[in-house]
Amino acid sequence: MNRPSFHDLTAHQQRQFGNGVGPYWLPDRLRNLITQTASWFFKDASWRHHDFGYAVGGDRWDRARCDWKFFTAMMRDAISQSLIWSPIAVPAALLISLAFFLTVRIGGQFGSFDYRDSYASLEDVIGGYRT
């Protein structure tokens, strides 16, 4: 089976997918606060893509690829801060990017990533994702 892509979702499904920045076990109020704060720095680094990749699952290399794509997207957004904010915003956003990356690399192995022998189907991902 081919690996489902986030782009296989409709635009509405893409906007609704995921639980924000943070693991499913984090209290909603705290996760919403982190998500809103991260939105100041990261416009295109979609944690929705990252959550989708975790729901599709796979092996440890699939997880590493999801995390790396998230990190590079955050880095792109961090570098773009120089056009919007003061020069201090770029180093701050780069540091936050690194912190988020390390957090997902360490924490994602504890129940967030769906380790499996084959990828989940698009229908399984849509129907079974915890929000």
Side-chain angles (χ1 to χ4, degrees):
M1 170 172 61
N2 289 333
R3 186 177 197 286
S5 168
F6 185 76
H7 300 291
D8 294 334
L9 299 173
T10 66
H12 176 73
Q13 289 169 326
Q14 288 177 0
R15 285 190 304 274
Q16 299 301 314
F17 198 86
N19 64 357
V21 179
Y24 67 90
W25 49 262
L26 199 65
D28 289 342
R29 190 173 185 151
L30 182 56
R31 191 173 47 248
N32 290 336
L33 177 64
I34 295 168
T35 302
Q36 289 173 359
T37 303
S39 294
W40 295 342
F41 290 97
F42 307 116
K43 300 298 180 197
D44 295 325
S46 175
W47 41 84
R48 296 182 193 285
H49 283 93
H50 188 256
D51 285 355
F52 183 84
Y54 267 44
V56 169
D59 61 20
R60 65 187 177 117
W61 299 111
D62 291 307
R63 183 174 154 255
R65 184 177 45 79
C66 288
D67 293 348
W68 184 252
K69 287 172 75 173
F70 183 45
F71 180 59
T72 58
M74 286 188 294
M75 296 293 283
R76 278 192 305 273
D77 281 356
I79 291 168
S80 74
Q81 296 301 318
S82 64
L83 303 175
I84 301 167
W85 297 72
S86 69
I88 196 164
V90 173
L94 291 170
L95 186 60
I96 293 169
S97 300
L98 180 60
F100 281 0
F101 174 69
L102 293 174
T103 300
V104 298
R105 286 306 300 151
I106 294 167
Q109 63 189 326
F110 300 112
S112 294
F113 186 82
D114 199 349
Y115 289 101
R116 54 174 82 219
D117 292 333
S118 62
Y119 301 125
S121 69
L122 187 60
E123 293 76 22
D124 289 339
V125 170
I126 293 168
Y129 190 71
R130 310 177 270 231
T131 58

